Amino acid sequence: MKVTEAMDYLSSRLIESGVDQWDLIGSESQSLSLELFERKPKNSEISFSRGIGVRLFRKQKPGYSYTEQFTTASLDQCLADALDHTELTDTLDLNLPDKETLPKFELYDYDPEIEEINFDQLKNFSLEIEDLARNETSDIENIPYLGAGKSTGRMFLRNSKGVDYSRHSGSLSAGIGVLLSRGDSRKMGSYSSGGRKLSALKADKIATTAVERGSGLLGAEPVKSGMYTILLRNRIASQLFSMFSSIFYAESAQKGGSRLNGRLGETIACGALNLISDPFQYDLPGSALFDGEGVVSRKIPVIEFGIFNSFLYNLESANREKVSPTGNGTRGYSGKAGTSFSNLIVTPDNHNFDGLCTSAKKMLVIEKLEGGAGCSAVSGEISIGAQGFLLENGKKVQPVDRIVLSGNFFDWIKNIQMISDSWSESFSSIKVPDLVISGVQVAG
Amino acid sequence: MISENLAQKVIGTGLELKADFVEIFIEETRDAKVTFRDSKIETATSGTDFGIGVRLLYGTESAYGFTSDDSEESLIYLTKQIAANRKTNHETTVAPVISFKTKNFEPVQRPELDPRNVGQKAKLTLLKTADKSARSSSPHIAQVSISAFDSESQIWIYNSEGLKVNDNRIRCRFSVSVTAEKNGERFSASENPGALRGFEFFESLDISKLAKEAAESSLRMLDAGYIEGKKMPVILGNGFGGVIFHEACGHPLETEAIRRKASPFTGKLGQQIANTKVTAIDDGTIQNSWGSISVDDEGHPPEKTVLIKDGILTSYISDRVGASEVNIRRTGSARRQSYQYAPVSRMRNTYIDAGNDSIEDMIHSIEDGLYAMKMGGGSVNPATGEFNFAVQEGYEIKNGKLGRPVRGASLIGRGHEVLPKISMVGEDLELTSGMCGASSGSVPVTVGQPTLKVDEILVGGR
């Protein structure tokens, strides 16, 4: 049975069951990937995946279930499980969305060219990256990670109110991790890039960025403990916002997981900071015309000139506050509904990177964060390892490693001194420019 | 489940396409979970994961594919597609028909109560008990999130050496996370025990005590101050403190890292890599333990693997391919999250063995340091050994005495540089359950250790 056939079957069974309302998420995907080591394809993988998730409401009580097995018996079991679960759950006063006309916006989330990309092309592209990396430096000791892949998929969303949307997507990625050594110092430099077609990936950019990231840090030493101004590179700033993105979700605030609860309209960040959930960015992976629950997407200003303007809502969290959902619901076939930014966008300012580097006499440029376990979205606490460079009067003095940055996210976004004019080039739904932040505690 | 006849055809197709080895992994997993938050049932979910993975080996090069469609047409097509990427020419060979022989093994679990038969409803009492217990600890408890999860996996493995294996794996896990709040400050702490057992595992837990422990830990941190960041001696608490060894030393000891020459331990077998007080073990055979396996995901029996004996590196952790490339024996450590991943060498129950030092002696030996009683999560770069871990609950040590609670501390260093600095090893070995993520997905593991003293680690604080 195909996904759409299985969804047809479940739809008719759901109508027969007499439940209040329901929705179905179906998905099918294919992928091809390979990893090379010492110029040989060490691992390769192809896949054909599929699954269907059911959410239904009986007497206003929700029940969830899913299956990857598309036999009549499995689909019946899936439905029976979801119905059983309504015997356990508490009531949830929630209305699934009606069918609406979707916004007219070209997403570019699928390029038919991807279907023609084969194993040999991915292999040759990977080898080109390796050759370019080795031409960059003789410090490469080993290349433990090198590979490329592609995936395509279709997502189908239906509900009892007549919603019947689908989305076709596809992307390619390639990356390299080089182990560099000089004397006793060893550093990994990694970079991967993605896009909708192979020509969007630049082998030279992938190779040189990975090598620069590793070689620049060879010979690194800690700096003295103390208070520093730091410059978070745009990809690192994106990483930071990603770790704390849930504080802007209404469901987090409602469940005690965000200190922003009750602070709408307050100044929570520096006046230059504008944070947006933007589903209408051409060729970014978070762009979408509808969210994971079938609500039509829209652009939501979350922070405007430092003032907290809006939480992001899915159906459940919006219903709880009796407001409209913002189109930020997420749902895969095997999970319950959650919340997410579509694309998390911090608007660039007009300062170039060199201007940021000379904005303080002494600053630490952060090129790498190590793990996120010491960062808590609940408390805002940050305690995280970092690597980068010490700058004095805009000039590199030394590479730095084995340091820990400490503070609180809510203090950091207030202490942003400058925002650059550019995002990183990565194929990512999180786009934050370089940020200069003052008063950061550093242990070294 | 596919028929033995179809398994023969798939393997035959792979061999005809000149693979040296063909393996089929079939999985049907039923999982079920109830979550409780805001003092009410938040969700009740369940699902069926089903699929077939086919692996062809060409020497030690792996070509893998998977599908949820178990028809003959789909599986033969999949096998041909996998081979199409690896064939050096388009010639085929005539392969013999493989006769399978069932391989029996000593099970590491004997579940008493099948969660499917008990049902999700039986979890409600446990969830309500935990919620009540945590909330009764203090008016400062702002949120309690609890879940009870169970899964039952039926696994079948066939390979071109004639192996046929069937395994049934039942796991249960209970999680309670408590958030305390005072003056706008919030802290969370959690307890997450799990076992390779049936529903009787839930019944064996002291749910009230678990929830109270999480609540009290979050409350203690509400009143904690900050530690000054610098290098200092650190006592690592028992149990989850073992996560540092797991991440910073265990992963680099997997042949998956060794064969890529991406480990500081490459070529160090037989060498002194740790203090002589350190003996470290990865054991897949502990009865009912969350990280145990009756048989690994290649159908090989697990073992108790001594990794480090009295400071000397004695073994790596290996799968079929890794053992062949690194030229060591197979340790029965091939693991994967599901049929959607090819198996690679992974840890099971990994711990530093008990010594004979006391915590009191450790504390008395430190003038200015940190007692990291409970660790949070962390990360490591296996190639360089660089790690970073958060301390969930910590205390200052001043002049040989335990001092005030401290928060926001993290530990940073390199695994291979810390091992020689472990100078005292306690008697209080404890294992705790967790999930480990790597190239073959997220698998259940336990980490563990007795309380340890490390002479110097960089501590991040304020």
Side-chain angles (χ1 to χ4, degrees):
Chain A
M1 213 184 287
K2 290 181 178 172
V3 176
T4 47
E5 291 167 344
M7 290 179 80
D8 290 343
Y9 177 79
L10 276 173
S11 299
S12 55
R13 291 292 320 275
L14 281 158
I15 291 165
E16 287 165 17
S17 72
V19 296
D20 311 338
Q21 51 180 352
W22 51 266
D23 64 9
L24 293 172
I25 293 262
S27 128
E28 60 183 10
S29 61
Q30 294 186 25
S31 71
L32 166 65
S33 63
L34 82 157
E35 285 180 87
L36 292 108
F37 184 65
E38 294 178 340
R39 304 191 72 78
K40 290 181 182 168
K42 207 68 188 163
N43 297 301
S44 63
E45 185 177 294
I46 59 174
S47 74
F48 303 89
S49 310
R50 63 189 191 180
I52 292 180
V54 183
R55 173 171 62 173
L56 54 82
F57 294 80
R58 185 163 63 174
K59 296 177 185 171
Q60 294 187 312
K61 293 180 172 185
Y64 284 86
S65 187
Y66 73 91
T67 185
E68 295 174 348
Q69 203 165 24
F70 291 177
T71 60
T72 306
S74 294
L75 295 169
D76 287 342
Q77 181 67 53
C78 179
L79 182 56
D81 286 349
L83 285 166
D84 280 351
H85 291 148
T86 64
E87 301 292 329
L88 304 179
T89 51
D90 290 309
T91 57
L92 180 62
D93 181 18
L94 181 154
N95 287 314
L96 295 176
D98 293 309
K99 185 170 185 175
E100 285 188 56
T101 305
L102 296 176
K104 295 210 180 305
F105 179 80
E106 189 191 350
L107 294 174
Y108 186 52
D109 49 4
Y110 175 77
D111 192 313
E113 191 184 305
I114 195 170
E115 306 292 352
E116 308 305 319
I117 302 298
N118 61 32
F119 183 88
D120 286 336
Q121 284 171 284
L122 294 174
K123 180 179 155 190
N124 293 336
F125 188 76
S126 302
L127 290 173
E128 186 186 348
I129 295 172
E130 174 168 349
D131 291 340
L132 289 163
R134 289 194 185 279
N135 284 341
E136 283 286 311
T137 176
S138 57
D139 288 333
I140 293 178
E141 179 185 311
N142 181 23
I143 299 184
Y145 306 103
L146 173 69
K150 68 167 189 173
S151 65
T152 57
R154 285 182 189 273
M155 185 273 263
F156 305 91
L157 176 61
R158 289 185 196 175
N159 75 16
S160 49
K161 300 274 191 73
V163 162
D164 190 357
Y165 302 144
S166 67
R167 181 180 177 185
H168 194 187
S169 61
S171 62
L172 287 136
S173 64
I176 186 169
V178 292
L179 182 61
L180 300 127
S181 63
R182 198 182 301 151
D184 291 337
S185 182
R186 301 173 99 214
K187 288 289 173 191
M188 277 290 295
S190 303
Y191 186 71
S192 64
S193 178
R196 302 295 182 194
K197 55 185 178 180
L198 195 55
S199 57
L201 278 57
K202 307 293 179 200
D204 54 348
K205 170 78 179 170
I206 296 169
T208 53
T209 307
V211 169
E212 279 169 18
R213 284 184 180 181
S215 62
L217 293 170
L218 284 169
E221 291 292 335
V223 289
K224 273 188 174 177
S225 299
M227 202 72 87
Y228 286 79
T229 294
I230 62 169
L231 194 170
L232 296 178
R233 293 304 304 266
N234 45 27
R235 67 176 192 285
I236 303 300
S238 299
Q239 213 177 319
L240 182 76
F241 270 79
S242 169
M243 286 191 276
F244 289 92
S245 59
S246 67
I247 65 174
F248 301 107
Y249 304 162
E251 66 170 316
S252 294
Q254 292 164 0
K255 292 168 182 172
S258 171
R259 284 175 53 182
L260 290 178
N261 200 12
R263 298 189 61 191
L264 279 174
E266 286 184 27
T267 298
I268 62 163
C270 84
L273 189 77
N274 290 289
L275 172 66
I276 305 161
S277 174
D278 189 353
F280 306 125
Q281 289 275 339
Y282 182 77
D283 194 18
L284 285 191
S287 297
L289 303 181
F290 57 91
D291 75 1
E293 296 183 291
V295 176
V296 172
S297 300
R298 58 192 171 105
K299 193 171 173 176
I300 303 293
V302 176
I303 298 175
E304 284 189 299
F305 302 106
I307 295 171
F308 183 37
N309 181 66
S310 177
F311 279 112
L312 301 179
Y313 293 89
N314 62 13
L315 286 174
E316 184 179 340
S317 59
N319 183 72
R320 201 186 260 221
E321 293 179 29
K322 302 298 174 203
V323 298
S324 299
T326 55
N328 291 95
T330 58
R331 194 172 155 225
Y333 68 81
S334 63
K336 72 179 285 281
T339 312
S340 175
F341 279 81
S342 41
N343 293 297
L344 185 159
I345 303 291
V346 170
T347 313
D349 206 344
N350 54 8
H351 304 286
N352 64 29
F353 182 71
D354 290 342
L356 264 60
C357 290
T358 53
S359 65
K361 275 190 177 176
K362 188 174 177 181
M363 69 164 66
L364 282 170
V365 181
I366 305 302
E367 295 279 354
K368 197 173 189 179
L369 292 178
E370 296 170 324
C375 299
S376 163
V378 173
S379 64
E381 292 281 336
I382 296 171
S383 180
I384 190 164
Q387 300 188 30
F389 300 95
L390 178 64
L391 294 187
E392 285 181 5
N393 299 314
K395 302 261 188 274
K396 278 185 188 175
V397 176
Q398 66 166 92
V400 174
D401 68 358
R402 285 163 286 164
I403 59 169
V404 179
L405 311 179
S406 300
N408 192 290
F409 182 73
F410 296 98
D411 296 332
W412 281 24
I413 58 175
K414 272 190 176 166
N415 292 338
I416 293 172
Q417 304 299 313
M418 291 176 85
I419 299 173
S420 82
D421 56 4
S422 60
W423 296 328
S424 78
E425 293 175 13
S426 62
F427 183 63
S428 164
S429 62
I430 300 175
K431 291 290 187 183
V432 182
D434 312 84
L435 303 173
V436 173
I437 301 171
S438 61
V440 172
Q441 187 71 46
V442 175
Chain B
M1 173 57 177
I2 64 173
S3 68
E4 203 163 299
N5 181 253
L6 179 52
Q8 284 172 329
K9 286 182 182 174
V10 170
I11 288 173
T13 302
L15 294 175
E16 284 168 9
L17 295 167
K18 298 201 168 174
D20 298 314
F21 174 81
V22 184
E23 175 190 80
I24 307 172
F25 181 87
I26 306 142
E27 176 193 2
E28 182 174 343
T29 295
R30 296 262 297 145
D31 57 38
K33 185 177 184 179
V34 183
T35 61
F36 196 87
R37 196 176 345 212
D38 288 333
S39 296
K40 64 178 189 179
I41 301 293
E42 185 180 50
T43 55
T45 60
S46 63
T48 303
D49 299 305
F50 174 76
I52 298 115
V54 176
R55 182 168 65 148
L56 310 186
L57 293 182
Y58 296 85
T60 55
E61 293 176 12
S62 164
Y64 191 70
F66 64 85
T67 178
S68 293
D69 185 344
D70 59 357
S71 67
E72 179 173 333
E73 182 189 5
S74 158
L75 291 172
I76 299 296
Y77 175 76
L78 175 75
T79 308
K80 287 180 176 174
Q81 287 294 304
I82 298 167
N85 294 330
R86 289 306 178 95
K87 266 195 307 173
T88 49
N89 57 53
H90 291 277
E91 290 173 12
T92 58
T93 185
V94 177
V97 176
I98 302 297
S99 298
F100 298 117
K101 187 176 177 190
T102 299
K103 184 172 178 179
N104 296 312
F105 44 84
E106 186 62 29
V108 292
Q109 74 165 162
R110 288 185 173 78
E112 294 163 24
L113 295 170
D114 184 338
R116 299 285 87 68
N117 297 334
V118 179
Q120 295 258 75
K121 200 170 182 179
K123 295 172 181 171
L124 301 189
T125 309
L126 307 170
L127 301 172
K128 287 174 183 168
T129 302
D131 186 67
K132 190 176 171 188
S133 173
R135 288 184 188 277
S136 68
S137 300
S138 162
H140 293 298
I141 300 301
Q143 184 58 277
V144 184
S145 303
I146 315 153
S147 68
F149 165 84
D150 65 76
S151 76
E152 178 174 8
S153 296
Q154 281 287 344
I155 304 293
W156 294 267
I157 302 169
Y158 295 94
N159 74 23
S160 54
E161 292 169 351
L163 175 135
K164 177 184 174 186
V165 158
N166 172 221
D167 190 18
N168 185 33
R169 303 165 179 176
I170 298 181
R171 284 190 168 84
C172 290
R173 195 170 196 206
F174 191 84
S175 298
V176 53
S177 171
V178 183
T179 303
E181 179 179 23
K182 191 158 81 177
N183 302 327
E185 299 267 27
R186 286 171 176 267
F187 282 92
S188 297
S190 61
E191 296 288 337
N192 310 282
L196 188 71
R197 296 178 66 187
F199 200 90
E200 70 276 8
F201 170 69
F202 291 129
E203 295 176 343
S204 73
L205 294 172
D206 186 340
I207 298 285
S208 294
K209 190 177 166 195
L210 269 178
K212 199 151 275 272
E213 279 173 4
E216 286 172 358
S217 179
S218 68
L219 289 163
R220 282 194 293 271
M221 287 301 98
L222 265 188
D223 295 318
Y226 292 98
I227 194 164
E228 183 192 348
K230 60 184 176 184
K231 285 179 185 164
M232 62 180 79
V234 174
I235 295 174
L236 298 171
N238 68 347
F240 198 60
V243 70
I244 297 187
F245 181 81
H246 169 101
E247 296 286 358
C249 303
H251 281 300
L253 288 173
E254 293 165 344
T255 50
E256 189 59 13
I258 301 290
R259 76 188 185 109
R260 291 170 189 265
K261 299 171 188 167
S263 165
F265 301 117
T266 303
K268 297 266 174 83
L269 278 177
Q271 295 184 25
Q272 187 89 34
I273 62 164
N275 189 295
T276 52
K277 289 198 170 191
V278 175
T279 290
I281 290 160
D282 182 63
D283 187 354
T285 65
I286 302 171
Q287 199 73 18
N288 293 327
S289 180
W290 174 250
S292 292
I293 43 176
S294 295
V295 65
D296 80 359
D297 290 337
E298 293 175 334
H300 196 78
E303 60 163 38
K304 179 177 180 177
T305 310
V306 179
L307 303 172
I308 299 170
K309 175 72 176 165
D310 301 329
I312 293 170
L313 179 60
T314 51
S315 181
Y316 297 128
I317 297 162
S318 69
D319 59 340
R320 173 184 285 270
V321 167
S324 172
E325 287 207 338
V326 178
N327 198 23
I328 61 165
R329 75 187 187 287
R330 288 168 73 182
T331 58
S333 308
R335 303 188 68 189
R336 50 179 132 195
Q337 177 180 327
S338 72
Y339 69 90
Q340 297 193 358
Y341 297 85
V344 299
S345 52
R346 301 289 295 272
M347 283 171 274
R348 301 157 303 190
N349 304 292
T350 313
Y351 57 92
I352 293 178
D353 211 357
N356 49 21
D357 293 308
S358 73
I359 303 178
E360 291 74 24
D361 287 346
M362 292 183 204
I363 293 170
H364 289 156
S365 71
I366 295 174
E367 272 189 32
D368 182 9
L370 171 70
Y371 175 30
M373 193 174 95
K374 284 194 176 175
M375 295 302 301
S379 69
V380 67
N381 182 330
T384 59
E386 294 166 329
F387 68 76
N388 178 279
F389 287 90
V391 179
Q392 182 180 308
E393 183 173 348
Y395 295 86
E396 265 185 352
I397 302 172
K398 293 283 184 193
N399 303 316
K401 288 182 180 167
L402 213 53
R404 64 192 178 109
V406 290
R407 66 192 190 197
S410 58
L411 309 180
I412 186 166
R414 294 180 179 132
H416 55 288
E417 291 175 358
V418 166
L419 282 176
K421 293 178 183 170
I422 298 173
S423 59
M424 297 175 88
V425 179
E427 302 163 311
D428 53 348
L429 171 64
E430 188 178 294
L431 300 182
T432 58
S433 51
M435 297 299 293
C436 167
S439 64
S440 65
S442 179
V443 298
V445 295
T446 65
V447 300
Q449 64 176 40
T451 304
L452 302 176
K453 180 189 169 192
V454 183
D455 288 338
E456 185 182 88
I457 301 185
L458 173 62
V459 177
R462 291 194 194 178

